[in-house]
Amino acid sequence: MRKDVLIIGGGATGAGIARDLALRGVDCLLLDMGDFCHGASGGNHGLLHSGGRYVVKDPGSAAECAVENTVLKRIAPFCIEDTGGLFVSLPEDDPLFADRFKDACRSTGVPTEEIGAEEATSSEPGLNPLAVRCFRVPDGSVDPFSLVQANICDAREAGALALNHCAVTGMTVEDGRIVRVDVQDRRGRLSSPIVPEVVVNASGAWVADVAGLAACTARAGLDQGSMLVTYGRQCRHVINRLREPSNGDIAVPSHTSTVLGTTSRPARSPDDSAVTREDVDFLLRETSALLPSLRGCRIVRAYGGVRPLLGGNGREASRSFSITRGDAVDNLVSVAGGKLTTYRLMAEKVSDTVCDMLGNSSGCRTHLEALGPPADVEGGSIALARLRRKYGRMASSISTSDTRVICSCEQVLRSEVTAVLKTGDALTLADVMRRTRAGMGYCQGLDCTLSVLELMMQGAKMDPLLALREFLREREHGISQASGDQLRQGLLREHVLNGVYGMGEME
Amino acid sequence: MSRVLVIGNGAAGLFSSWLLARKGQEVVLVGRGTPSTSMSTGCIRTRPEGCEREMAEFLVNEHMPWAVGARAGLSKIGTPFRCWMAPSHSTWKYGEAPGSVTVVSIEGHPAIHVRIASSLLIAQGIRAEHLSLPIAVPPEVPLTAAFRSEGSWELLAKALRTTSSDAVLLPAMVPLREYGRLDALERQCGRKVLEAVTPLGPPGLRLTELMHARAAGAGVTIWDGRRVTALDIKGDTVRGATVSGGSEVKEVATDAAVIATGGPLVDGLNIKGRELDDPFGVFQVARSTDALRGGYASREGMMVRVDGRRMANAVAAGDCVYSERRDHGSGLAGALDSARMAVMALEGA
Ligand SMILES: Cc1cc2nc3c(=O)[nH]c(=O)nc-3n(C[C@H](O)[C@H](O)[C@H](O)COP(=O)(O)OP(=O)(O)OC[C@H]3O[C@@H](n4cnc5c(N)ncnc54)[C@H](O)[C@@H]3O)c2cc1C
Ligand SMILES: Cc1cc2nc3c(=O)[nH]c(=O)nc-3n(C[C@H](O)[C@H](O)[C@H](O)COP(=O)(O)OP(=O)(O)OC[C@H]3O[C@@H](n4cnc5c(N)ncnc54)[C@H](O)[C@@H]3O)c2cc1C
């Protein structure tokens, strides 16, 4: 198969590149070895940074975040909750940092407003009353799955081909050019190798592995971070600790829960995202300094992600990004680093480079054209408005007349699942979950999984036990770190799955 | 005659109160909440060691016959389920599996998952057919509520007559008093009617209801919906308890106590972080490597105080007792057996 551009990696960056190039009329193919968001784009807080977090130590990245924050709120309001953010220092924090923060915000263009502790606690009632200095920033909460999905949706509409569960396994280099790319498609849609003009390596933490397929080098340090999902929303704003970025600084309200993060340790491989019990205890302890009510809070699950970092280790490394051309290969462009918040900017810069190589002179339009429907479309029912917020443009393909609920924790309609299955992208139960949230709630898919699987089996031949085990094992990783009341849920789960259905015995 | 207070309305509490009442004790059972017993499949998976006879007698009910011996059935997703004692329609004699099964479902209702079940039946070498009933029941409405009218049962019987398999697999949908419906269906359609083994559904509720009726029939006073919030303990002796329910709080005196409050799942034991803890703040909890398998410690059958002192008149039974052997999903036999041992220990005391 001939293609102008092959993009490897269906995270935010790759999906953004596919949209950008497709809007410029470039014929491109996007592949991900897992589902879209299989990497860091599915393993982060979903904090739409204002830039505040990086102003002091990483002003370049802060400035990028500040600009992109406003762009994304404008083009993709449907998948962003404009919660606003607070930076808050506690008595034990360095008192000078607040002043440095204030100055740095001014010079990097991150909008801030200092408010009194009283005002802060009245707008965020759960906040530690001992708060010393408080600043408002335009942080927000973004749903990475919807964001990436919307990019893919748009890219497809503009003519791009995007396939998940399709891994790039080899490259043939001749005369300093990649002339052939071998792929392995879990569903057998692509049978022949790909012959691209340009290859874009947007494989995040796998950037070195993919470059290695063409005997090129790409350097990125791998760094693991852990996050916790709480039961229920524990705060209204994104809450940040006002100190040098360190561990356990952030609480992000997200859908029906709050995401607490994060930690930083070197990762051995891109898959080394496991969360330890120490991480869980640590995160709860640190974040409950900001929000004391978190102390006895029920943790639904824990999850991790691996960041590819540029230069330095852990918190020292810049959150900015770099674009490199393959050292010995002409038509390979690798991109690494960055943030979810800056994915569009990264995509723009990569697309500029690629268009240069292709001799295409059209400019970037991704910051001008809406990525989804506006947040407050007039008319339509409440049900439709809810679906628009969740699915963007795809909402119109979901029936609101069938009110049957399939996942009661997250109030997912059966028709949402049916619509997602119709797109043909969902191969596994987790794929359906990422798109609909069915299974993300406090029962972690105990109730809805079977009903979703039943629907999946209507359209496709599949081994139900294999599918169930794959999904439940993934969920179990997260649950095994739960504590308090959530253990009851875990116990019930074991009774049902292992005790009654014999899932454990039938291996 | 002395008075025994039994705390907990699950299998262990109901069986021990029945045993005590039969021996002429005055028994008051206090319980609240949904016991694990009601969430279970209502099938006893393993053979209880010492009380087969009493159990058979306890569970006997002309409305719902039980079958004993090595048995096998099918879960609502079609996986095999093995047990030792079950209501007669849930299982067949081990080794006599039907060669073909028609899986009956209601489109979109989670009581049974017809495609999953059929696929897993085929994997076990059982021929499978689908039969989707032409009725609509919202997923959140239990089938026991949907199958109340004669019309719906007739419709079912008619649909079943059109199948040709050895057996039909039905979602669990009959309450205790309607159990005879399954016999009638079997006669009407001329083939074995199997009820799918289901957690969190009618079978567990039926079992609890049956046990409840047997205990009440033996003279046990049952205070439903009430909770024991504190125990009055002097030295090594329980002398009474505080019972609260609704707006009422009262103190009751007792000569002995059976603690059958269930495991952490139903709040019988507190969870603090990842450890178990006694909600009464009195008794020793033995910890296990798997936090949730721990439970009350006992010495010579009696409960042990936090300070290590052995109680003179308090015993524990069921999921709240420490047990290394209890597997997920197989606690009923253990609950019944430990209830019998608890009663024996009380008698010895
Ligand atoms: C713990 C943590 C918290 C974070 N929190 C935030 C936050 O709150 N806000 C924010 O803005 N940013 C955050 N980030 C950063 C953000 O998640 C990442 O910068 C962003 O998601 C990177 O996207 P990406 O597309 O570049 O990489 P990825 O999302 O990792 O995508 C790479 C993709 O390439 C695919 N791939 C790899 N090899 C192959 C192959 N051979 N063939 C086909 N496909 C392949 C992978 O499957 C993967 O899906 C966080 C990161 C971490 C780790
Ligand atoms: C989904 C599921 C499926 C299962 N399937 C099977 C199976 O197929 N076969 C099998 O053998 N076992 C099964 N089990 C296990 C079995 O149900 C339990 O082991 C058994 O029911 C325990 O009985 P129990 O009487 O000890 O506790 P429970 O049945 O849990 O009863 C304890 C009761 O005491 C109440 N209580 C607690 N504290 C107080 C208080 N202070 N005052 C008043 N009341 C109180 C609780 O609320 C609860 O209602 C299953 C369990 C579950 C959850």
Side-chain angles (χ1 to χ4, degrees):
Chain A
M1 179 194 269
R2 286 193 167 277
K3 280 283 164 192
D4 285 350
V5 181
L6 166 65
I7 305 153
I8 305 170
T13 312
I17 296 169
R19 173 176 189 243
D20 196 321
L21 289 175
L23 288 177
R24 300 191 207 201
V26 176
D27 177 30
C28 55
L29 167 65
L30 172 76
L31 298 181
D32 200 295
M33 64 178 168
D35 191 13
F36 305 123
C37 283
H38 164 249
S41 300
N44 62 69
H45 299 96
L47 165 51
L48 182 70
H49 285 283
S50 58
R53 184 165 171 79
Y54 304 114
V55 279
V56 172
K57 287 189 77 178
D58 193 357
S61 175
E64 287 165 6
C65 286
V67 174
E68 288 302 306
N69 177 290
T70 49
V71 173
L72 291 186
K73 281 181 186 167
R74 190 175 69 236
I75 64 166
F78 80 94
C79 62
I80 293 169
E81 250 197 282
D82 198 354
T83 56
L86 292 175
F87 272 81
V88 177
S89 73
L90 297 177
E92 60 268 36
D93 296 330
D94 173 10
L96 296 178
F97 188 80
D99 295 319
R100 282 163 67 202
F101 175 83
K102 201 169 172 178
D103 292 343
C105 281
R106 202 171 305 125
S107 59
T108 46
V110 173
T112 44
E113 178 201 349
E114 178 153 19
I115 57 175
E118 219 160 89
E119 186 184 340
T121 41
S122 78
S123 70
E124 187 61 63
L127 201 62
N128 187 337
L130 299 177
V132 184
R133 306 275 301 265
C134 307
F135 293 83
R136 279 189 195 282
V137 291
D139 282 342
S141 166
V142 54
D143 183 326
F145 300 110
S146 309
L147 180 67
V148 169
Q149 210 58 55
N151 273 281
I152 286 172
C153 224
D154 253 29
R156 281 178 174 161
E157 230 152 78
L161 180 60
L163 301 175
N164 56 354
H165 297 295
C166 186
V168 167
T169 52
M171 297 186 192
T172 310
V173 179
E174 274 171 20
D175 300 330
R177 286 181 65 79
I178 298 168
V179 292
R180 188 183 121 135
V181 177
D182 296 311
V183 296
Q184 205 166 28
D185 186 350
R186 246 180 104 177
R187 273 179 292 186
R189 294 154 302 185
L190 277 189
S191 48
S192 58
I194 296 146
V195 182
E197 284 297 312
V198 178
V199 176
V200 174
N201 174 5
S203 58
W206 290 266
V207 68
D209 306 72
V210 170
L213 296 176
C216 294
T217 50
R219 258 212 308 277
L222 300 183
D223 189 76
Q224 187 275 356
S226 301
M227 282 137 303
L228 304 182
V229 181
T230 68
Y231 183 65
R233 304 253 295 201
Q234 308 289 334
C235 51
R236 292 177 178 169
H237 302 80
V238 172
I239 309 291
N240 301 272
R241 183 82 172 260
L242 182 55
R243 64 178 179 197
E244 287 208 1
S246 36
N247 294 340
D249 282 356
I250 300 175
V252 183
S254 164
H255 294 273
T256 52
S257 56
T258 307
V259 178
L260 309 178
T262 177
T263 54
S264 169
R265 67 157 169 88
R268 285 180 298 273
S269 78
D271 297 304
D272 177 21
S273 63
V275 178
T276 63
R277 194 144 278 184
E278 290 71 45
D279 289 347
V280 176
D281 293 341
F282 175 87
L283 283 174
L284 261 182
R285 201 172 53 239
E286 282 295 294
T287 50
S288 58
L290 284 169
L291 295 163
S293 66
L294 289 174
R295 209 157 286 140
C297 174
R298 170 169 171 182
I299 299 302
V300 176
R301 66 185 266 105
Y303 65 99
V306 175
R307 327 170 167 91
L309 296 180
L310 296 177
N313 296 322
R315 302 258 170 244
E316 295 304 313
S318 166
R319 264 36 176 187
S320 193
F321 60 93
S322 81
I323 299 171
T324 48
R325 302 275 296 267
D327 23 13
V329 169
D330 276 346
N331 59 344
L332 175 68
V333 181
S334 295
V335 53
K339 302 292 301 175
L340 180 68
T341 308
T342 56
Y343 89 93
R344 195 211 58 84
L345 179 68
M346 291 162 72
E348 175 178 342
K349 298 295 177 211
V350 172
S351 302
D352 285 349
T353 309
V354 170
C355 284
D356 237 18
M357 294 161 74
L358 293 172
N360 177 322
S361 59
S362 30
C364 175
R365 281 160 48 202
T366 55
H367 54 305
L368 303 172
E369 291 192 15
L371 186 50
D376 48 355
V377 225
E378 297 285 318
S381 59
I382 293 177
L384 185 59
R386 180 185 83 89
L387 292 176
R388 277 209 199 98
R389 279 205 67 92
K390 195 164 165 186
Y391 294 99
R393 293 199 179 112
M394 211 192 109
S396 52
S397 65
I398 300 168
S399 152
T400 48
S401 57
D402 182 354
T403 54
R404 281 179 293 172
V405 169
I406 206 164
C407 163
S408 48
C409 301
E410 293 286 320
Q411 289 294 303
V412 179
L413 298 177
R414 203 175 133 86
S415 53
E416 292 174 46
V417 174
T418 323
V420 158
L421 291 177
K422 236 185 238 151
T423 64
D425 280 350
L427 178 64
T428 68
L429 283 162
D431 294 355
V432 176
M433 176 187 71
R434 275 185 285 269
R435 287 163 181 75
T436 61
R437 297 186 64 78
M440 280 191 186
Y442 67 86
C443 93
Q444 291 286 290
L446 182 60
D447 197 38
C448 61
T449 308
L450 296 171
S451 302
V452 172
L453 184 59
E454 179 73 16
L455 280 177
M456 290 178 83
M457 289 181 69
Q458 234 168 37
K461 249 194 141 61
M462 55 197 293
D463 177 342
L465 271 190
L466 220 64
L468 274 173
R469 282 220 189 86
E470 185 187 16
F471 179 74
L472 296 169
R473 210 172 283 140
E474 185 275 331
R475 290 284 93 184
E476 240 128 65
H477 281 313
I479 302 173
S480 61
Q481 303 297 351
S483 64
D485 264 348
Q486 188 64 23
L487 287 178
R488 297 206 158 91
Q489 196 66 48
L491 192 59
L492 177 64
R493 193 184 171 83
E494 283 184 43
H495 272 300
V496 172
L497 296 173
N498 296 332
V500 179
Y501 298 152
M503 300 277 306
E505 295 159 24
M506 291 188 63
E507 297 268 0
Chain B
M1 190 170 92
S2 58
R3 182 187 230 199
V4 184
L5 175 68
V6 177
I7 313 170
N9 54 347
L14 289 163
F15 190 44
S16 49
S17 21
W18 179 76
L19 289 170
L20 287 163
R22 266 205 333 173
K23 296 195 161 120
Q25 311 273 21
E26 181 196 345
V27 185
V28 174
L29 181 144
V30 180
R32 61 94 220 220
T34 308
S36 289
T37 309
S38 297
M39 300 184 227
S40 78
T41 63
C43 301
I44 292 154
R45 300 206 66 167
T46 50
R47 188 174 187 148
E49 315 220 307
C51 60
E52 286 186 44
R53 202 178 40 78
E54 285 103 328
M55 254 179 68
E57 200 187 325
F58 179 51
L59 294 177
V60 72
N61 183 304
E62 63 268 34
H63 298 303
M64 186 167 77
W66 287 72
V68 184
R71 320 262 322 152
L74 293 167
S75 79
K76 71 165 188 168
I77 63 167
T79 47
F81 181 89
R82 281 221 233 162
C83 66
W84 176 81
M85 184 175 187
S88 60
H89 280 295
S90 301
T91 49
W92 59 77
K93 206 190 231 167
Y94 189 71
E96 294 180 2
S100 57
V101 169
T102 298
V103 185
V104 179
S105 74
I106 289 151
E107 185 60 37
H109 196 281
I112 210 161
H113 300 281
V114 64
R115 289 177 193 83
I116 304 174
S118 311
S119 156
L120 292 176
L121 288 181
I122 293 165
Q124 294 162 65
I126 299 175
R127 262 182 300 122
E129 272 178 42
H130 293 187
L131 176 68
S132 195
L133 294 182
I135 50 171
V137 183
E140 64 281 4
V141 173
L143 291 187
T144 41
F147 277 80
R148 282 221 179 102
S149 71
E150 283 307 318
S152 50
W153 288 100
E154 270 162 30
L155 187 123
L156 178 62
K158 215 167 116 203
L160 294 190
R161 273 198 291 271
T162 64
T163 70
S164 59
S165 316
D166 300 344
V168 292
L169 184 67
L170 281 186
M173 54 198 224
V174 291
L176 182 61
R177 264 163 295 265
E178 302 267 350
Y179 197 75
R181 293 273 186 193
L182 298 177
D183 295 323
L185 263 186
E186 202 157 74
R187 281 194 303 273
Q188 281 167 313
C189 74
R191 52 187 50 90
K192 174 142 179 82
V193 167
L194 264 178
E195 188 184 50
V197 171
T198 300
L200 315 175
L205 293 171
R206 269 191 328 238
L207 174 66
T208 313
E209 194 182 330
L210 189 158
M211 291 179 159
H212 199 282
R214 300 289 294 172
V220 176
T221 306
I222 300 179
W223 293 349
D224 266 332
R226 260 164 270 190
R227 178 185 173 88
V228 171
T229 49
L231 293 173
D232 170 15
I233 292 178
K234 185 117 200 207
D236 59 6
T237 312
V238 178
R239 301 191 310 176
T242 311
V243 177
S244 68
S247 56
E248 192 188 41
V249 177
K250 61 181 170 192
E251 307 291 331
V252 290
T254 187
D255 301 312
V258 178
I259 317 272
T261 49
L265 181 62
V266 292
D267 250 356
L269 288 163
N270 284 346
I271 303 177
K272 267 200 191 148
R274 289 186 199 88
E275 300 284 5
L276 294 185
D277 192 52
D278 171 27
F280 299 114
V282 182
F283 304 115
Q284 245 181 40
V285 172
R287 308 199 193 289
S288 158
T289 38
D290 176 351
L292 298 178
R293 302 236 175 160
Y296 288 126
S298 65
R299 198 161 354 117
E300 290 124 45
M302 302 309 262
M303 298 188 76
V304 185
R305 280 178 47 144
V306 180
D307 61 12
R309 193 158 166 178
R310 181 171 161 262
M311 296 293 295
N313 68 343
V315 292
D319 275 4
C320 62
V321 179
Y322 174 81
S323 162
E324 271 301 342
R325 280 185 308 167
R326 188 166 46 229
D327 267 330
H328 296 297
S330 68
L332 288 171
L336 294 163
D337 216 33
S338 71
R340 182 190 58 101
M341 303 219 297
V343 167
M344 273 166 45
L346 263 194
E347 283 173 338

